[in-house]
Amino acid sequence: MTDERRHDDDRRHQERRIGDRRTGTGGVRIYILPGWVRAWHWTNAILILTMIATGFSLHYADAKIPVVEFSLAVRIHNTAGVLLVALWSFFVIANAVTGNWWQFVPKPPGILERCIKQTRYYMWGVFKGEHEPYPVTPEENFNALQALTYWFMIYIVMPLLVVTGLIFLYPQYAPKEMFGVDGLFPIAVVHYVCATIVATFIVAHVYLCTFGKKVSSTFKTMITGWHEH
Amino acid sequence: MSWNACGKIVLLACVAMLSFTAFAEENEPKGPSPQMLEKIRKKNDECFACHSEEGLKHPPQEGMDLKKLRGLLRDKEAFHASDHQRLACTKCHNEGYDDFPHEPDAKESTSSCPDCHQKKADHAQAQFDKSVHAKNLSDKFTCTTCHNPHVMRRADKLGDPRKIVEQDNRVCLGCHDSDERFAQFAPEKKDRPLIDDIHKWLPNTRAHWKAVRCVECHTPVVAAKEPISHEILDKKRAEKKCVTCHSRDTQLKVRLYRHLASEEQNKFGFANSVVLNENYVIGATRNPLVDKLMIGLAALTLFGVLGHAALRVVMHYLRRRNKND
C-alpha cells in the first residue's frame, strides 16, 4: 500500500466509514456513504431531472406538444442550471478535501480484467444467479467499471455540460463564429450530446441499483448510507 | 467529410452566392448612367456643403441660421448606402431649393412618398389604419416617421439579417427608448413605459433585440411571400408564444430570413440552416442526424435495460422452478 493510499484510508476512518461488520447472520452491513454524499446525490438527482425535462422541451420545442411552456422552461432551466453549477463545484471541492475522489479511481493492477469480469457478470452471470464479483467494501464502494463510468461522468461530461451551459447563459461571451456557423451552434451540440449521455446514464444507473441484495437494497443504501450484501 | 465533398460544398456555395448577387443586381431598379450619376452626386454635394457636419463646422456662406441648420443635417455616407442613393436631392426637394436662402415655402412643395410609391403607400395605409400607431397618432404619423428616406435600405438589399435588425430596431427604439422623441408623438400625460420593464417576461431580452426585429412579434402573421405588415400590434396583441420562432416550423424563415434564397434554407442537412448561419435559435436550429443519434442512444439504453430486466425476471423464475423441482 502506498503512503498516499494509507493516508487516504486514515482520512476515511476519521469520517466514520469503518465498516460495522455483522457476521453470523450470513450477510454484511457496512456504512459507506456519509451524509454529505447522500445529500449531494439527491439534490443532484432532482436538479438533473429538472434540467432534462426543461432541456428536452426547449430543444424539441413544438407549438402542438408543449412539455413545459418555453419561457417558463428557460427560467427553470437557467435557475436549476446555476444551482447545478454550484452543486457540481461543491462536489468536486468536497471530493478533493475529503479524499472521496479516490473512490472514482479504479485501482491497479488488473483494471481491464476486472472490467471484463464485471461486464461478463452483467451480461451473463446475473442471469445465472451468480454473486457480484467485486462486493462493496468501505475502501472501494465501486467496482472498476462503476468507478470508470462515474469518473467519466463527474470529471468529463459534467464539466463540459457546465461550461457549455454557462456560455449558453451568457451568449454574449460565445465566439461570434465557429466553423463558418454561429459560435453558439457547436456549443449547443456539445451541450445537447453531453445532456443525452447524462440522461441515458441515469436510466442505466437507476436500473443497476436493482442489482443489490434485494431489488430495493441499493436505493435504501442511498438514503441511509448503510450497504448490505 | 472528404476534401472532395468539401470542395463541392464550397463550389455550390459560390454558385449560390453568385446567382444571389446576379438576382440582387437584376432586382435593382435601372438607375441613371454612370455619367449621369456623377452629375447627380456633384449636384447633391452642393446640398451637403451646408447640410452636413462639415457644413455646420465650416459654413460656406455667412449669415446662415446655424441653429436651424443643426436640425437639418444629413449623413452623406448613409445617404449613398440608402435606397435613394441614385436620386438627386432635388428629386424630392423640388422647388425653391436652387438658391440660398431657400424659398420660405419650399418645404411645402417637397414630394411625399406616394408621389413615387403610390401602390405601396395605398397597401401600407390599409394596414397602418389597423395599427396601434393609428389609434391616437394617425395625424402625427407619416411614412417618414419610421422610414427615413435619407438612410433606409430595403431588407432584401441589406441581405445580412444583423444589418436588417440594426436598421429596423433603431426605428422603433428611436421613440420607444427615448423620452424626448416619445413625448413628441405620445398623447399628453402618457408616460413612456420602460422598454426593459414591459419586456421582462422575455428571457434574454437585449439579446433578442440584437438578433431579431421588434416587428417579428409586433406584426400579425403574414403569408410566406407577403412582406411584413404595417399593422403594428400593441403589447396585448403582439406575439408572446416563444415557439412561433423557437421551433422547427419557425416563423423566422418567412420573416427576418425570407429574403435569403430558398435553396439556402436546408443546406448541409440542417433544419433551418439559413437561420443557423446567422444565429443559433434554440428549438429551430437542429441537425436531424444529431437528433436521430441522440434519440437512438436514449432508446437503445431504455430498451436494453427493459430487455435485460425482463430476462432477469424470467431467469430468476426458471431457477426457482428448477430448484423446487
Side-chain angles (χ1 to χ4, degrees), chain A residues 131-142:
Chain A
H131 287 291
E132 182 76 57
Y134 301 103
V136 171
T137 67
E139 292 77 25
E140 287 189 39
N141 295 176
F142 309 129

Side-chain angles (χ1 to χ4, degrees), chain B residues 272-287:
Chain B
N272 306 317
S273 67
V274 70
V275 183
L276 163 73
N277 290 346
E278 302 298 333
N279 266 301
Y280 173 75
V281 182
I282 300 170
T285 340
R286 292 187 211 162
N287 185 317

Side-chain angles (χ1 to χ4, degrees), chain A residues 148-226:
Chain A
L148 273 175
T149 312
Y150 291 163
W151 179 85
F152 176 70
M153 296 307 295
I154 293 163
Y155 294 103
I156 302 285
V157 179
M158 280 305 286
L160 280 172
L161 253 185
V162 161
V163 169
T164 50
L166 282 173
I167 297 175
F168 246 131
L169 197 58
Y170 300 100
Q172 61 269 39
Y173 299 115
K176 279 237 151 37
E177 206 187 290
M178 268 163 98
F179 316 117
V181 292
D182 186 277
L184 215 48
F185 184 73
I187 307 272
V189 170
V190 173
H191 193 75
Y192 174 39
V193 171
C194 287
T196 314
I197 293 173
V198 171
T200 49
F201 165 79
I202 290 174
V203 174
H205 176 66
V206 172
Y207 175 61
L208 287 174
C209 283
T210 63
F211 280 53
K213 188 179 178 184
K214 282 191 276 178
V215 170
S216 60
S217 299
T218 315
F219 295 101
K220 272 187 196 155
T221 305
M222 212 57 238
I223 296 167
T224 63
W226 288 89

Side-chain angles (χ1 to χ4, degrees), chain A residues 59 75 122 127 192 207 211, chain B residues 201 246 291 308 312 319:
Chain A
H59 183 80
R75 282 176 218 286
Y122 287 143
F127 299 122
Y192 174 39
Y207 175 61
F211 280 53
Chain B
W201 67 275
H246 288 278
D291 274 358
H308 196 281
R312 255 171 83 199
R319 276 202 313 275

Side-chain angles (χ1 to χ4, degrees), chain B residues 130-133 214-215 217-221 229-239 255:
Chain B
K130 292 183 270 175
S131 166
V132 61
H133 291 138
C214 307
V215 290
C217 300
H218 286 275
T219 53
V221 174
S229 172
H230 281 78
E231 181 186 349
I232 306 297
L233 306 175
D234 64 5
K235 65 177 177 186
K236 278 184 208 145
R237 293 176 62 212
E239 184 62 73
R255 287 173 170 261

